[in-house]
Amino acid sequence: MLKGLYQRFIYITSSLILWGCANSTSLFPPTKTLNVAVSPTPKPPQPIEEKPVNGLGGYFYSNGENAFGPFTQRMVQKCQGLNGGSVCNTQQWPEALFLKAYGQKRCPDGSRFNQILGYCVDGNEALGLFPKELIPTCNQANDSSTCVSTRQNARLLYKKMQDKKLITPVGRPPQFVLLAFDGSRSLDAWKKSRNFTQTMAKKNIQAHFTYFISGVYFVNNEKRNLYTPPGGKGRGRSAIGWGGTPEEINLRLEQLNKAYQEGHEIGSHAVGHFDGSRWSEADWTREFDYFNQFIFNAYKINNLKGSLAFDVSAIQGFRAPELGQSPGLYKTLKKRRFRYDTSRVAAANYWPKLENGVWNFPLASLTTAMTRKNVLSMDYNFYYAHSKGKPNSSNAKRYEEDMFQTYLKYFQSNYLGNRAPVHIGHHFSDWNQGAYWKALFRFAEEVCGKPEVQCVTYSVLADFMDLQTPEQIAIYQKGGFPKLDKGKKN
């Protein structure tokens, strides 16, 4: 009997314990616990890494979800247009929004690539991403966020890169040689000039041209009434003709695209090649409007299929037809954000200056080596000085030699002197049996491969000048740097 009572006790006790565990109350007093809210384990911050924007060389900072720059003012404007709201005024955007605002180029929309510095620039600031050694506050061991830097003063960065031997220190400035053409109609001239630089490249000599193109050459003859030039010249007028047939224009556009893709620069030579020395600001504004219309709508105007390899932002410089400038021109250039103008004349040893926000890259005043005549560093001036602007084939060889020796003397004086840029301007014209083209090519072959010489486009020169202080430019003008040994073979 006792055994049965014991078994019953065990059964009842076990049942009560099981019942208590299954209900919210217990037969035993609860243990007292602290009333503390339990929060989830915080998610560790995602590391900020560098990610490519596109295959053109653009990069940005990202934690996998958000982008941390670089940002430009133009990107902020686009962000607002994309309904980004308040995030547009922060330094942390969702990646998808950032990439839409960045654009399709190497540099963020609203900035451009400085070919000397090797970084995109926005105003006077360079845009990262920067290597750790160029970020003074970077402490990667303890605080990786200090290594995220997207903006630095471009001039200071340039000096820092030289100090750290990331780029070649500039003890004396390079000898820049600028080779440019006005015109753009002749297909043969396009091909001949492009083929020349390709041949030079095969010899490991780099040379690039700046082509100042005329708007009328991209409008077919039947559409000439689209143009009403300033100064009361009359509707459909042009001083240099028109583009010919749509088929001819299509071939010209093909050459234009190829030149740009090969690293040559495209600049503006206005539209109808009229002297604008008496034009008002409104006149110049109208002329530039026509230029943009005729160049960037060329395929549509001529009912052609295709597109340009560049947009209006590529047009950074200007040369006035007949060098006809007026105060209204420079107001317009500044408002249109042109970087440089090549319409003036200066001494051969002139170092460029920023005038009204635009770099002045003038042609040089020279004396010819053999005929001892005063000319500008441009082929038409030689043509007029030699034969009054009329063909004289019997003296073509002498004219060629006179130009070659004049250009060579101009170069040597600067190369061994204060290193002021050498400016050469030519046309798509075969004057005096091609004497001046032959002299130009001989000159380029002679000098472009020399040490410390850069035969580059005008935009590259502008990139270099943007990185110089006015004080440094004054030193260059005085030749305040160690000169190249005149006895050294170059």
Side-chain angles (χ1 to χ4, degrees), residues 53-89:
V53 176
N54 50 43
L56 301 176
Y59 281 81
F60 70 106
Y61 285 118
S62 169
N63 65 0
E65 296 179 359
N66 295 318
F68 296 82
F71 303 103
T72 64
Q73 186 57 44
R74 173 61 182 150
M75 288 176 66
V76 172
Q77 294 171 355
K78 289 176 69 176
C79 175
Q80 293 166 346
L82 293 167
N83 298 318
S86 60
V87 74
C88 300
N89 297 318

mmCIF file of all heavy atoms in Angstrom, residues 53-89:
data_model
loop_
_atom_site.group_PDB
_atom_site.id
_atom_site.type_symbol
_atom_site.label_atom_id
_atom_site.label_comp_id
_atom_site.label_asym_id
_atom_site.label_seq_id
_atom_site.Cartn_x
_atom_site.Cartn_y
_atom_site.Cartn_z
ATOM 1 N N VAL A 53 32.843 53.953 -61.862
ATOM 2 C CA VAL A 53 31.588 54.483 -62.390
ATOM 3 C C VAL A 53 31.310 53.889 -63.760
ATOM 4 O O VAL A 53 30.187 53.514 -64.090
ATOM 5 C CB VAL A 53 31.650 56.024 -62.492
ATOM 6 C CG1 VAL A 53 30.376 56.575 -63.125
ATOM 7 C CG2 VAL A 53 31.867 56.647 -61.136
ATOM 8 N N ASN A 54 32.352 53.834 -64.567
ATOM 9 C CA ASN A 54 32.225 53.358 -65.942
ATOM 10 C C ASN A 54 33.577 52.856 -66.407
ATOM 11 O O ASN A 54 34.531 52.803 -65.625
ATOM 12 C CB ASN A 54 31.707 54.486 -66.852
ATOM 13 C CG ASN A 54 32.508 55.775 -66.670
ATOM 14 O OD1 ASN A 54 33.737 55.750 -66.589
ATOM 15 N ND2 ASN A 54 31.826 56.912 -66.613
ATOM 16 N N GLY A 55 33.665 52.485 -67.648
ATOM 17 C CA GLY A 55 34.918 51.983 -68.182
ATOM 18 C C GLY A 55 35.856 53.070 -68.676
ATOM 19 O O GLY A 55 36.887 52.774 -69.282
ATOM 20 N N LEU A 56 35.533 54.346 -68.403
ATOM 21 C CA LEU A 56 36.325 55.468 -68.911
ATOM 22 C C LEU A 56 37.322 56.001 -67.886
ATOM 23 O O LEU A 56 38.077 56.922 -68.177
ATOM 24 C CB LEU A 56 35.386 56.602 -69.347
ATOM 25 C CG LEU A 56 34.373 56.231 -70.436
ATOM 26 C CD1 LEU A 56 33.436 57.405 -70.708
ATOM 27 C CD2 LEU A 56 35.082 55.803 -71.711
ATOM 28 N N GLY A 57 37.292 55.449 -66.676
ATOM 29 C CA GLY A 57 38.250 55.883 -65.664
ATOM 30 C C GLY A 57 37.634 56.578 -64.473
ATOM 31 O O GLY A 57 38.349 56.999 -63.564
ATOM 32 N N GLY A 58 36.309 56.728 -64.441
ATOM 33 C CA GLY A 58 35.657 57.382 -63.318
ATOM 34 C C GLY A 58 35.480 56.445 -62.133
ATOM 35 O O GLY A 58 35.136 55.272 -62.302
ATOM 36 N N TYR A 59 35.728 56.957 -60.914
ATOM 37 C CA TYR A 59 35.566 56.179 -59.691
ATOM 38 C C TYR A 59 34.779 56.983 -58.664
ATOM 39 O O TYR A 59 34.710 58.216 -58.731
ATOM 40 C CB TYR A 59 36.926 55.804 -59.099
ATOM 41 C CG TYR A 59 37.594 54.634 -59.792
ATOM 42 C CD1 TYR A 59 38.285 54.812 -60.985
ATOM 43 C CD2 TYR A 59 37.506 53.357 -59.261
ATOM 44 C CE1 TYR A 59 38.879 53.738 -61.632
ATOM 45 C CE2 TYR A 59 38.099 52.271 -59.899
ATOM 46 C CZ TYR A 59 38.790 52.471 -61.076
ATOM 47 O OH TYR A 59 39.370 51.404 -61.715
ATOM 48 N N PHE A 60 34.197 56.274 -57.683
ATOM 49 C CA PHE A 60 33.505 56.948 -56.590
ATOM 50 C C PHE A 60 33.630 56.115 -55.322
ATOM 51 O O PHE A 60 34.002 54.937 -55.351
ATOM 52 C CB PHE A 60 32.041 57.201 -56.932
ATOM 53 C CG PHE A 60 31.178 55.971 -56.994
ATOM 54 C CD1 PHE A 60 30.264 55.682 -55.990
ATOM 55 C CD2 PHE A 60 31.244 55.102 -58.078
ATOM 56 C CE1 PHE A 60 29.460 54.557 -56.049
ATOM 57 C CE2 PHE A 60 30.441 53.978 -58.155
ATOM 58 C CZ PHE A 60 29.538 53.699 -57.131
ATOM 59 N N TYR A 61 33.335 56.752 -54.173
ATOM 60 C CA TYR A 61 33.347 56.058 -52.888
ATOM 61 C C TYR A 61 31.965 55.495 -52.602
ATOM 62 O O TYR A 61 30.954 56.171 -52.805
ATOM 63 C CB TYR A 61 33.733 57.019 -51.763
ATOM 64 C CG TYR A 61 35.194 57.376 -51.719
ATOM 65 C CD1 TYR A 61 35.614 58.692 -51.884
ATOM 66 C CD2 TYR A 61 36.165 56.401 -51.482
ATOM 67 C CE1 TYR A 61 36.953 59.027 -51.818
ATOM 68 C CE2 TYR A 61 37.510 56.734 -51.427
ATOM 69 C CZ TYR A 61 37.899 58.050 -51.595
ATOM 70 O OH TYR A 61 39.229 58.373 -51.538
ATOM 71 N N SER A 62 31.922 54.263 -52.107
ATOM 72 C CA SER A 62 30.639 53.613 -51.838
ATOM 73 C C SER A 62 30.776 52.641 -50.674
ATOM 74 O O SER A 62 31.846 52.055 -50.453
ATOM 75 C CB SER A 62 30.168 52.853 -53.077
ATOM 76 O OG SER A 62 29.071 52.025 -52.779
ATOM 77 N N ASN A 63 29.684 52.454 -49.920
ATOM 78 C CA ASN A 63 29.638 51.410 -48.894
ATOM 79 C C ASN A 63 28.754 50.243 -49.347
ATOM 80 O O ASN A 63 28.324 49.427 -48.541
ATOM 81 C CB ASN A 63 29.139 51.966 -47.562
ATOM 82 C CG ASN A 63 27.701 52.444 -47.627
ATOM 83 O OD1 ASN A 63 27.043 52.374 -48.664
ATOM 84 N ND2 ASN A 63 27.200 52.954 -46.511
ATOM 85 N N GLY A 64 28.486 50.198 -50.641
ATOM 86 C CA GLY A 64 27.652 49.147 -51.179
ATOM 87 C C GLY A 64 26.207 49.552 -51.367
ATOM 88 O O GLY A 64 25.471 48.948 -52.146
ATOM 89 N N GLU A 65 25.790 50.583 -50.654
ATOM 90 C CA GLU A 65 24.424 51.086 -50.760
ATOM 91 C C GLU A 65 24.395 52.558 -51.149
ATOM 92 O O GLU A 65 23.618 52.972 -51.995
ATOM 93 C CB GLU A 65 23.691 50.906 -49.428
ATOM 94 C CG GLU A 65 23.517 49.454 -49.011
ATOM 95 C CD GLU A 65 22.814 49.331 -47.675
ATOM 96 O OE1 GLU A 65 22.480 50.385 -47.074
ATOM 97 O OE2 GLU A 65 22.592 48.194 -47.230
ATOM 98 N N ASN A 66 25.264 53.335 -50.518
ATOM 99 C CA ASN A 66 25.293 54.786 -50.727
ATOM 100 C C ASN A 66 26.627 55.231 -51.308
ATOM 101 O O ASN A 66 27.673 54.619 -51.036
ATOM 102 C CB ASN A 66 25.040 55.519 -49.412
ATOM 103 C CG ASN A 66 23.644 55.273 -48.881
ATOM 104 O OD1 ASN A 66 22.679 55.277 -49.641
ATOM 105 N ND2 ASN A 66 23.526 55.033 -47.592
ATOM 106 N N ALA A 67 26.567 56.279 -52.106
ATOM 107 C CA ALA A 67 27.756 56.887 -52.690
ATOM 108 C C ALA A 67 28.152 58.107 -51.866
ATOM 109 O O ALA A 67 27.297 58.865 -51.415
ATOM 110 C CB ALA A 67 27.491 57.284 -54.138
ATOM 111 N N PHE A 68 29.463 58.306 -51.678
ATOM 112 C CA PHE A 68 29.992 59.394 -50.868
ATOM 113 C C PHE A 68 30.794 60.397 -51.703
ATOM 114 O O PHE A 68 31.633 61.113 -51.192
ATOM 115 C CB PHE A 68 30.864 58.824 -49.745
ATOM 116 C CG PHE A 68 30.105 57.969 -48.770
ATOM 117 C CD1 PHE A 68 29.837 56.647 -49.054
ATOM 118 C CD2 PHE A 68 29.632 58.509 -47.578
ATOM 119 C CE1 PHE A 68 29.126 55.852 -48.164
ATOM 120 C CE2 PHE A 68 28.921 57.715 -46.679
ATOM 121 C CZ PHE A 68 28.669 56.388 -46.972
ATOM 122 N N GLY A 69 30.528 60.447 -52.997
ATOM 123 C CA GLY A 69 31.172 61.445 -53.843
ATOM 124 C C GLY A 69 32.196 60.824 -54.768
ATOM 125 O O GLY A 69 32.454 59.623 -54.713
ATOM 126 N N PRO A 70 32.750 61.656 -55.683
ATOM 127 C CA PRO A 70 32.674 63.118 -55.696
ATOM 128 C C PRO A 70 31.353 63.653 -56.263
ATOM 129 O O PRO A 70 30.737 63.019 -57.111
ATOM 130 C CB PRO A 70 33.837 63.519 -56.594
ATOM 131 C CG PRO A 70 33.962 62.363 -57.540
ATOM 132 C CD PRO A 70 33.623 61.136 -56.756
ATOM 133 N N PHE A 71 30.968 64.838 -55.766
ATOM 134 C CA PHE A 71 29.774 65.527 -56.232
ATOM 135 C C PHE A 71 30.178 66.858 -56.869
ATOM 136 O O PHE A 71 31.175 67.459 -56.491
ATOM 137 C CB PHE A 71 28.823 65.823 -55.068
ATOM 138 C CG PHE A 71 28.394 64.596 -54.298
ATOM 139 C CD1 PHE A 71 28.962 64.299 -53.072
ATOM 140 C CD2 PHE A 71 27.431 63.744 -54.794
ATOM 141 C CE1 PHE A 71 28.573 63.177 -52.355
ATOM 142 C CE2 PHE A 71 27.032 62.615 -54.091
ATOM 143 C CZ PHE A 71 27.603 62.328 -52.863
ATOM 144 N N THR A 72 29.404 67.321 -57.833
ATOM 145 C CA THR A 72 29.577 68.646 -58.422
ATOM 146 C C THR A 72 28.254 69.398 -58.323
ATOM 147 O O THR A 72 27.203 68.796 -58.089
ATOM 148 C CB THR A 72 29.985 68.544 -59.907
ATOM 149 O OG1 THR A 72 28.918 67.922 -60.645
ATOM 150 C CG2 THR A 72 31.260 67.732 -60.082
ATOM 151 N N GLN A 73 28.320 70.716 -58.532
ATOM 152 C CA GLN A 73 27.095 71.505 -58.490
ATOM 153 C C GLN A 73 26.129 71.082 -59.582
ATOM 154 O O GLN A 73 24.910 71.037 -59.376
ATOM 155 C CB GLN A 73 27.418 73.000 -58.634
ATOM 156 C CG GLN A 73 26.220 73.924 -58.467
ATOM 157 C CD GLN A 73 25.520 73.756 -57.133
ATOM 158 O OE1 GLN A 73 26.175 73.660 -56.090
ATOM 159 N NE2 GLN A 73 24.202 73.714 -57.150
ATOM 160 N N ARG A 74 26.657 70.728 -60.733
ATOM 161 C CA ARG A 74 25.803 70.253 -61.821
ATOM 162 C C ARG A 74 25.107 68.954 -61.420
ATOM 163 O O ARG A 74 23.936 68.743 -61.740
ATOM 164 C CB ARG A 74 26.655 70.049 -63.077
ATOM 165 C CG ARG A 74 25.912 69.404 -64.243
ATOM 166 C CD ARG A 74 24.740 70.227 -64.711
ATOM 167 N NE ARG A 74 24.025 69.577 -65.785
ATOM 168 C CZ ARG A 74 22.740 69.701 -66.031
ATOM 169 N NH1 ARG A 74 21.993 70.485 -65.261
ATOM 170 N NH2 ARG A 74 22.181 69.074 -67.038
ATOM 171 N N MET A 75 25.795 68.084 -60.704
ATOM 172 C CA MET A 75 25.185 66.845 -60.227
ATOM 173 C C MET A 75 24.062 67.123 -59.232
ATOM 174 O O MET A 75 23.037 66.446 -59.232
ATOM 175 C CB MET A 75 26.239 65.939 -59.597
ATOM 176 C CG MET A 75 27.203 65.305 -60.583
ATOM 177 S SD MET A 75 28.498 64.332 -59.759
ATOM 178 C CE MET A 75 27.517 63.006 -59.047
ATOM 179 N N VAL A 76 24.268 68.124 -58.390
ATOM 180 C CA VAL A 76 23.231 68.502 -57.426
ATOM 181 C C VAL A 76 21.977 68.967 -58.167
ATOM 182 O O VAL A 76 20.847 68.601 -57.813
ATOM 183 C CB VAL A 76 23.745 69.589 -56.461
ATOM 184 C CG1 VAL A 76 22.610 70.118 -55.580
ATOM 185 C CG2 VAL A 76 24.869 69.042 -55.588
ATOM 186 N N GLN A 77 22.174 69.763 -59.215
ATOM 187 C CA GLN A 77 21.034 70.228 -60.009
ATOM 188 C C GLN A 77 20.313 69.056 -60.664
ATOM 189 O O GLN A 77 19.078 69.000 -60.674
ATOM 190 C CB GLN A 77 21.520 71.216 -61.065
ATOM 191 C CG GLN A 77 22.065 72.522 -60.494
ATOM 192 C CD GLN A 77 22.735 73.382 -61.558
ATOM 193 O OE1 GLN A 77 22.879 72.987 -62.713
ATOM 194 N NE2 GLN A 77 23.164 74.577 -61.164
ATOM 195 N N LYS A 78 21.074 68.107 -61.208
ATOM 196 C CA LYS A 78 20.450 66.933 -61.817
ATOM 197 C C LYS A 78 19.728 66.083 -60.777
ATOM 198 O O LYS A 78 18.661 65.527 -61.037
ATOM 199 C CB LYS A 78 21.518 66.101 -62.534
ATOM 200 C CG LYS A 78 22.058 66.744 -63.802
ATOM 201 C CD LYS A 78 23.168 65.942 -64.426
ATOM 202 C CE LYS A 78 22.691 64.639 -65.021
ATOM 203 N NZ LYS A 78 23.786 63.917 -65.723
ATOM 204 N N CYS A 79 20.327 65.981 -59.587
ATOM 205 C CA CYS A 79 19.709 65.223 -58.497
ATOM 206 C C CYS A 79 18.335 65.784 -58.161
ATOM 207 O O CYS A 79 17.362 65.042 -57.988
ATOM 208 C CB CYS A 79 20.611 65.258 -57.263
ATOM 209 S SG CYS A 79 19.926 64.499 -55.778
ATOM 210 N N GLN A 80 18.244 67.102 -58.107
ATOM 211 C CA GLN A 80 16.960 67.734 -57.806
ATOM 212 C C GLN A 80 15.957 67.473 -58.917
ATOM 213 O O GLN A 80 14.771 67.260 -58.662
ATOM 214 C CB GLN A 80 17.171 69.233 -57.590
ATOM 215 C CG GLN A 80 17.987 69.538 -56.334
ATOM 216 C CD GLN A 80 18.491 70.966 -56.262
ATOM 217 O OE1 GLN A 80 18.468 71.700 -57.260
ATOM 218 N NE2 GLN A 80 18.959 71.372 -55.094
ATOM 219 N N GLY A 81 16.423 67.465 -60.156
ATOM 220 C CA GLY A 81 15.543 67.158 -61.278
ATOM 221 C C GLY A 81 15.100 65.710 -61.293
ATOM 222 O O GLY A 81 14.078 65.370 -61.893
ATOM 223 N N LEU A 82 15.864 64.843 -60.615
ATOM 224 C CA LEU A 82 15.516 63.429 -60.508
ATOM 225 C C LEU A 82 14.705 63.141 -59.254
ATOM 226 O O LEU A 82 14.556 61.979 -58.854
ATOM 227 C CB LEU A 82 16.798 62.585 -60.500
ATOM 228 C CG LEU A 82 17.612 62.590 -61.803
ATOM 229 C CD1 LEU A 82 18.996 61.991 -61.579
ATOM 230 C CD2 LEU A 82 16.870 61.809 -62.888
ATOM 231 N N ASN A 83 14.194 64.229 -58.629
ATOM 232 C CA ASN A 83 13.366 64.114 -57.420
ATOM 233 C C ASN A 83 14.127 63.486 -56.260
ATOM 234 O O ASN A 83 13.570 62.707 -55.475
ATOM 235 C CB ASN A 83 12.086 63.308 -57.709
ATOM 236 C CG ASN A 83 11.201 63.975 -58.751
ATOM 237 O OD1 ASN A 83 11.023 65.196 -58.721
ATOM 238 N ND2 ASN A 83 10.658 63.196 -59.670
ATOM 239 N N GLY A 84 15.399 63.854 -56.154
ATOM 240 C CA GLY A 84 16.202 63.341 -55.048
ATOM 241 C C GLY A 84 15.869 63.967 -53.712
ATOM 242 O O GLY A 84 16.236 63.439 -52.660
ATOM 243 N N GLY A 85 15.183 65.128 -53.756
ATOM 244 C CA GLY A 85 14.749 65.775 -52.523
ATOM 245 C C GLY A 85 15.906 66.266 -51.678
ATOM 246 O O GLY A 85 16.940 66.711 -52.185
ATOM 247 N N SER A 86 15.746 66.155 -50.352
ATOM 248 C CA SER A 86 16.730 66.703 -49.423
ATOM 249 C C SER A 86 18.073 65.987 -49.498
ATOM 250 O O SER A 86 19.100 66.541 -49.114
ATOM 251 C CB SER A 86 16.195 66.636 -47.987
ATOM 252 O OG SER A 86 15.920 65.286 -47.619
ATOM 253 N N VAL A 87 18.082 64.751 -49.999
ATOM 254 C CA VAL A 87 19.343 64.016 -50.076
ATOM 255 C C VAL A 87 20.339 64.711 -50.995
ATOM 256 O O VAL A 87 21.555 64.548 -50.858
ATOM 257 C CB VAL A 87 19.090 62.562 -50.555
ATOM 258 C CG1 VAL A 87 18.780 62.519 -52.047
ATOM 259 C CG2 VAL A 87 20.286 61.670 -50.257
ATOM 260 N N CYS A 88 19.844 65.529 -51.940
ATOM 261 C CA CYS A 88 20.723 66.210 -52.892
ATOM 262 C C CYS A 88 21.675 67.183 -52.214
ATOM 263 O O CYS A 88 22.717 67.523 -52.778
ATOM 264 C CB CYS A 88 19.894 66.951 -53.945
ATOM 265 S SG CYS A 88 18.808 65.888 -54.919
ATOM 266 N N ASN A 89 21.324 67.641 -51.029
ATOM 267 C CA ASN A 89 22.166 68.599 -50.300
ATOM 268 C C ASN A 89 23.041 67.921 -49.259
ATOM 269 O O ASN A 89 23.631 68.593 -48.410
ATOM 270 C CB ASN A 89 21.289 69.656 -49.632
ATOM 271 C CG ASN A 89 20.519 70.481 -50.652
ATOM 272 O OD1 ASN A 89 21.062 70.868 -51.682
ATOM 273 N ND2 ASN A 89 19.249 70.736 -50.377
#
